[in-house]
């Protein structure tokens, strides 16, 4: 039997509260500030007074969403229905009802929810230390930008990370079978600062030519650190060409290389050198998967 979405009625309040309690129990980093009875009483008022949608399957409430005053206040799925597509159905219902857009808060440690919203076109506005929420847990503000007049979704806002990096190249001995004065092999170690706080290690292969300022290189580096509060690793692949002083460089995230809270990461990195400083601009997103 398929999961259906409908507007909640007052009799759904208890089921919504029990689902919230079950879902929050999986978020072990949060303190429990209210009794279960207080939570049940709170959601009786929420369902009565606010726009609440429930996902129903075989007569059971398996997810819910609450939106009020331009804010998506809640979107929860029962733990038994994680990765089932239920969250996508609820989000589609809310965006269909509110094409003008809305804002929402997510705890920074809720990596799954952050990936979900970013995959569905929500843009990160800011990170906070959590001083203004009752849990005192660092959180993140996201914005869903809404739809255009023709009812087509607006292009998903790409996320950007900027900062500086330092690089330390170390020559490596060429393999005997490819020994050639025009071929080079380097170990590269980098330290990134800014939106990406990380280190990387990798190797570069280069080919010079008899013509000044014409060369090519390829490289792979593994990055390990934190991207706007999300920890994990990912690989970068470089393709560089220099034609008599005119250069082209493409640096992309290797598909499916993201781990930890960076699972599903995709994008490309641009490098500039200004006043002797190495600058990076990473444009990225997360691949869509069912939630």
């Amino acid at each position: 039997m398929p999961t259906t979405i409908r507007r909640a009625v007052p009799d759904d309040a208890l089921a919504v509260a029990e689902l919230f309690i079950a879902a929050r129990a999986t978020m072990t980093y949060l303190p429990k500030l209210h009794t279960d009875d207080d939570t049940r009483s709170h959601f009786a008022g929420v369902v009565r007074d606010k726009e609440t949608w429930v996902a129903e399957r075989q007569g059971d409430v398996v997810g819910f969403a609450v939106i009020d005053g331009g804010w998506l206040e809640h979107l929860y799925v029962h733990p038994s229905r994680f990765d089932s597509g239920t969250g996508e159905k609820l989000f589609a219902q809310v965006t269909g009802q509110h094409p003008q857009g809305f804002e929402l808060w997510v705890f920074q440690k809720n990596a799954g929810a952050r990936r979900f919203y970013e995959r569905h076109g929500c843009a990160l506005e800011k990170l906070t230390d959590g001083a203004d929420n009752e849990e005192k847990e660092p959180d993140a503000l996201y914005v869903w930008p809404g739809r255009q007049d023709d009812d087509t979704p607006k292009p998903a806002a790409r996320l950007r990370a900027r900062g500086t990096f330092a690089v330390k190249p170390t020559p490596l001995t060429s393999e005997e079978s490819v020994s050639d004065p025009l071929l080079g092999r380097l170990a590269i170690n980098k330290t990134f600062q800014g939106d990406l706080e990380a280190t990387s290690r990798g190797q570069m292969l280069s080919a010079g030519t008899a013509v000044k300022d014409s060369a090519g290189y390829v490289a792979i580096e593994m990055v390990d650190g934190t991207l706007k509060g999300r920890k994990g690793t990912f690989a970068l692949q470089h393709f560089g060409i220099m034609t008599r002083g005119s250069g082209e460089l493409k640096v992309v995230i290797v598909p499916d290389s993201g781990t930890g809270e960076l699972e599903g990461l995709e994008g490309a990195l641009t490098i500039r050198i200004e006043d002797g400083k190495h600058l990076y601009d990473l444009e990225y997103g997360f691949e869509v998967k069912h939630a």
Side-chain angles (χ1 to χ4, degrees):
M1 181 178 292
T3 299
T4 58
I5 308 298
R6 62 171 174 80
R7 186 70 181 263
V9 298
D11 286 347
D12 293 317
L14 180 59
V16 167
E18 296 298 339
L19 190 154
F20 177 84
I21 292 168
R24 293 275 284 214
T26 68
M27 301 162 69
T28 55
Y29 50 85
L30 293 179
K32 186 167 182 175
L33 302 176
H34 306 285
T35 68
D36 289 351
D37 283 342
D38 286 342
T39 298
R40 296 180 185 108
S41 177
H42 170 74
F43 276 100
V46 168
V47 173
R48 181 187 65 240
D49 300 331
K50 298 185 178 184
E51 180 183 338
T52 304
W53 297 91
V54 295
E56 189 175 55
R57 182 179 176 84
Q58 296 181 331
D60 294 327
V61 173
V62 294
F64 75 94
V66 178
I67 189 163
D68 184 62
W71 288 91
L72 180 59
E73 296 186 352
H74 299 288
L75 195 159
Y76 285 92
V77 173
H78 193 276
S80 67
R81 298 297 298 167
F82 286 173
D83 300 319
S84 68
T86 303
E88 288 184 341
K89 289 185 176 182
L90 283 165
F91 192 78
Q93 181 68 36
V94 172
T95 56
Q97 294 292 321
H98 297 271
Q100 74 279 7
F102 49 79
E103 297 176 275
L104 59 106
W105 288 99
V106 183
F107 292 114
Q108 291 183 32
K109 290 182 180 178
N110 194 346
R114 293 184 65 184
R115 286 195 295 269
F116 173 86
Y117 289 121
E118 289 168 6
R119 290 196 302 263
H120 289 82
C122 296
L124 176 64
E125 285 291 301
K126 66 177 180 180
L127 302 173
T128 83
D129 61 5
D132 292 332
N133 64 55
E134 65 175 352
E135 293 88 355
K136 305 305 177 188
E137 179 66 32
D139 52 15
L141 175 64
Y142 282 88
V143 175
W144 184 69
R147 297 180 184 275
Q148 299 171 347
D149 292 340
D150 62 359
D151 202 39
T152 58
K154 292 182 180 178
R158 297 290 286 172
L159 305 173
R160 303 186 81 91
R162 297 182 176 90
T164 62
F165 69 92
V167 57
K168 180 182 178 182
T170 304
L172 297 172
T173 302
S174 297
E175 297 294 335
E176 189 67 27
S177 60
V178 296
S179 180
D180 187 294
L182 294 179
L183 298 180
R185 182 166 167 254
L186 298 172
I188 49 176
N189 292 276
K190 293 179 181 175
T191 302
F192 294 87
Q193 294 182 322
D195 294 329
L196 175 63
E197 294 283 342
T199 59
S200 77
R201 65 189 188 281
Q203 288 194 27
M204 174 193 300
L205 298 176
S206 63
T209 72
V211 177
K212 183 180 179 182
D213 295 330
S214 288
Y217 90 90
V218 294
I220 295 285
E221 60 180 307
M222 185 63 70
V223 182
D224 185 348
T226 302
L227 175 59
K228 286 193 174 180
R230 299 171 66 155
K231 293 183 179 180
T233 66
F234 60 93
L236 288 172
Q237 186 165 352
H238 300 234
F239 310 82
I241 290 290
M242 181 75 73
T243 305
R244 294 179 292 280
S246 177
E248 295 182 29
L249 175 61
K250 183 178 181 181
V251 184
V252 298
I253 296 171
V254 176
D256 298 318
S257 65
T259 68
E261 296 175 346
L262 298 178
E263 182 180 355
L265 183 68
E266 52 84 19
L269 184 129
T270 302
I271 294 174
R272 308 190 315 279
I273 301 176
E274 296 180 1
D275 299 326
K277 288 185 177 180
H278 288 79
L279 308 176
Y280 69 84
D281 187 335
L282 177 65
E283 182 177 296
Y284 67 97
F286 292 87
E287 293 180 349
V288 176
K289 296 180 181 179
H290 288 296

